[in-house]
Amino acid sequence: MLHKGGCHCGAVTVEFTSEIPPAEMEVRACLCSFCRKHNSRALSDPAGSVRVTIRDPSVVQCYRFGLATADYLLCGRCGVYVSAVMEEAGKHYAIVIVGALDEAERFDRPPMGMDYSAEDEAARRARRRARWTPAEIITL
Ligand SMILES: [Zn+2]
């Protein structure tokens, strides 16, 4: 199943492919201060794929904080938080933010609160390699 989404103005789009039915997909609510401020809900499927297409690089923001091991992709024009991406050894791994998907309401499992604050950098990277979705980032 292909799930399309992106920011509101179209500067960044995302396509998330997964064989897991939306109603069965785990929805995670990270408890870090950034995710709480966005009230964001995240999806990933290590067996799926994500394609992020940056259509207007002049406005898309890559925000880093904490251990600075991932880029949090936000649209600087319309304000939507779309995805977070980690790059490692030339590979990308991503989560997709539920609210940025066109059919967000289909991902209706109760969110699981996740506290990753005890992780060091190695643990954080290892978890993302194992759990985030293999991703391709295209800048137009
Ligand atoms: Zn936008």
Side-chain angles (χ1 to χ4, degrees):
M1 274 172 279
L2 170 63
H3 306 288
K4 293 187 175 186
C7 74
H8 189 259
C9 73
V12 53
T13 57
V14 65
E15 293 163 285
F16 175 38
T17 302
S18 173
E19 293 182 4
I20 303 171
E24 294 174 22
M25 191 171 294
E26 184 177 290
V27 176
R28 296 193 298 271
C30 172
L31 297 174
C32 85
S33 54
F34 176 85
C35 293
R36 282 203 314 262
K37 284 177 183 288
H38 282 279
N39 194 25
S40 57
R41 305 281 181 262
L43 306 172
S44 65
D45 175 3
S49 65
V50 165
R51 175 186 290 168
V52 174
T53 305
I54 297 176
R55 297 171 186 279
D56 187 347
S58 68
V59 298
V60 176
Q61 307 287 314
C62 297
Y63 179 59
R64 288 190 169 198
F65 61 98
L67 297 174
T69 48
D71 285 315
Y72 291 74
L73 300 182
L74 300 139
C75 181
R77 184 158 55 208
C78 70
V80 175
Y81 170 32
V82 172
S83 175
V85 179
M86 177 180 80
E87 181 178 4
E88 196 167 282
K91 294 181 181 174
H92 291 89
Y93 305 85
I95 51 170
V96 170
I97 304 306
V98 175
L101 292 175
D102 296 343
E103 298 187 316
E105 67 283 353
R106 296 180 68 192
F107 298 88
D108 57 0
R109 272 182 59 173
M112 299 168 52
M114 309 299 286
D115 182 355
Y116 304 120
S117 59
E119 291 176 338
D120 62 12
E121 180 172 343
R124 182 150 303 170
R125 288 181 175 279
R127 168 176 55 79
R128 288 172 174 162
R129 285 195 305 271
R131 301 198 62 185
W132 285 20
T133 311
E136 171 185 25
I137 313 302
I138 297 165
T139 300
L140 300 182

